[in-house]
Amino acid sequence: FAFNKESYMMMKLDMEPLKEALSICSWVNKKTSDGHHDAWFTYNAPGRDNEILIAGRIRGWAIMLRDQLDNSQAVPQNQWHHVCITWSFETKQKILYFDGKALRQEDTGNLKLTMGGTMAIGQRHQKPTMEAVFHNYAFGGQLLKMNIYKRQLSAGEVGEMFSSGMCSNFEDSLVGDAFLRWETILYATERHGSITDVPITCPGDHWNVLYFTDFYNKVVDKTVLKKMEDQFEVLQDFEGHKIDDKLIEHLRYHH
């Protein structure tokens, strides 16, 4: 993501599957100093700005249900680190993880996620609508394997996600719990401003192959397959839409 207010992704999805539980996890490489508020994910709902907010600087900027998960963790520049926020209405707990370890756990009471909002990636969004109005808190860094799950992941799962490393296939074991997958963000979400794909170095160029072929083989619609053959970029047919359920159903059918 370029370090400006013009570089972002935005989606307005049916958030009902996340109403009572969710987990947001990503590898994050922040490029700004730890004094900068560099938001990489926000979810704003009607009457509930900053329902969820996560920044590269997680000290004071890790918010779930409009309440900060207080911590003193400094995050160095130009280093990959793993960040997760998990929450469940059933447990009434929200937990912030950094590099596989729980930094902070707090009670959430009887709150549930407010519906009808908008997610933004790469910026701190100000609106619950698709109107692009941002605070001056651009991310300007790199994300890898950002996934949103429709349940609260366990401490063991988060720990294994980190310890398995950036090049692992561990997230594939959680595909049935996915709400928004990294492949959808990469290939089916409209991009604004300057956002580029940067390959990471893995044995056998693992991720260069996986991100294309894995997604390619799981989409049923032949028109989409044709479009992917013609244009290895954003799929305009799916601007801002959730397509993971179709992929998951396809996976279950063929396995």
Side-chain angles (χ1 to χ4, degrees):
F1 289 83
F3 186 57
N4 57 51
K5 291 197 292 184
E6 289 73 44
S7 299
Y8 65 94
M9 297 173 171
M10 197 181 301
M11 291 165 277
K12 191 173 184 68
L13 309 178
D14 178 7
M15 303 292 284
E16 191 67 29
L18 306 183
K19 188 173 184 178
E20 296 190 7
L22 63 87
S23 299
I24 303 172
C25 298
S26 184
W27 290 91
V28 182
N29 185 5
K30 70 192 302 291
K31 297 296 184 180
T32 57
S33 70
D34 207 43
H36 182 77
H37 299 90
D38 50 346
W40 55 264
F41 181 87
T42 54
Y43 172 68
N44 293 327
R48 302 262 311 173
D49 290 350
N50 299 328
E51 183 83 335
I52 306 173
L53 187 151
I54 315 173
R57 172 191 170 169
I58 56 175
R59 186 174 68 246
W61 275 61
I63 298 172
M64 174 63 73
L65 302 177
R66 298 190 76 187
D67 188 39
Q68 294 184 18
L69 283 146
D70 293 329
N71 69 92
S72 59
Q73 179 67 51
V75 182
Q77 294 173 258
N78 300 311
Q79 294 181 14
W80 284 103
H81 292 277
H82 193 258
V83 176
C84 278
I85 289 185
T86 73
W87 159 77
S88 168
F89 178 76
E90 181 179 358
T91 64
K92 294 180 172 46
Q93 295 287 310
K94 57 182 178 182
I95 308 173
L96 171 66
Y97 294 88
F98 182 76
D99 284 351
K101 297 180 180 180
L103 281 183
R104 181 76 175 183
Q105 180 171 333
E106 296 182 0
D107 294 337
T108 55
N110 291 318
L111 292 175
K112 295 184 180 182
L113 189 71
T114 306
M115 300 292 97
T118 301
M119 293 188 295
I121 302 172
Q123 299 284 343
R124 182 185 177 189
H125 192 209
Q126 295 188 49
K127 298 282 187 178
T129 66
M130 290 290 285
E131 181 184 0
V133 180
F134 301 118
H135 292 280
N136 190 26
Y137 299 122
F139 175 48
Q142 296 175 325
L143 299 176
L144 176 70
K145 299 169 75 173
M146 178 192 151
N147 292 281
I148 302 179
Y149 302 98
K150 49 193 176 185
R151 67 174 176 87
Q152 184 172 36
L153 299 183
S154 69
E157 288 170 324
V158 175
E160 188 169 352
M161 192 180 296
F162 167 70
S163 63
S164 296
M166 295 168 60
C167 295
S168 78
N169 290 321
F170 177 74
E171 287 80 2
D172 289 353
S173 68
L174 302 173
V175 67
D177 298 305
F179 172 77
L180 183 66
R181 296 183 63 200
W182 178 237
E183 288 86 351
T184 305
I185 296 169
L186 279 183
Y187 300 128
T189 305
E190 184 177 11
R191 303 181 184 192
H192 300 269
S194 179
I195 303 173
T196 56
D197 295 346
V198 180
I200 64 169
T201 302
C202 291
D205 291 328
H206 173 76
W207 284 111
N208 288 342
V209 176
L210 176 65
Y211 283 156
F212 180 64
T213 59
D214 179 59
F215 189 78
Y216 184 98
N217 290 331
K218 294 169 189 172
V219 179
V220 181
D221 192 330
K222 292 182 179 179
T223 62
V224 177
L225 296 179
K226 181 64 167 63
K227 193 172 187 71
M228 290 188 74
E229 291 172 354
D230 296 340
Q231 183 183 5
F232 183 53
E233 293 179 2
V234 177
L235 304 183
Q236 300 298 331
D237 295 346
F238 284 121
E239 287 184 8
H241 291 283
K242 176 175 175 284
I243 63 175
D244 292 281
D245 281 349
K246 181 180 288 188
L247 296 182
I248 292 168
E249 289 170 6
H250 184 62
L251 273 173
R252 288 174 175 164
Y253 178 80
H254 289 280
H255 289 77

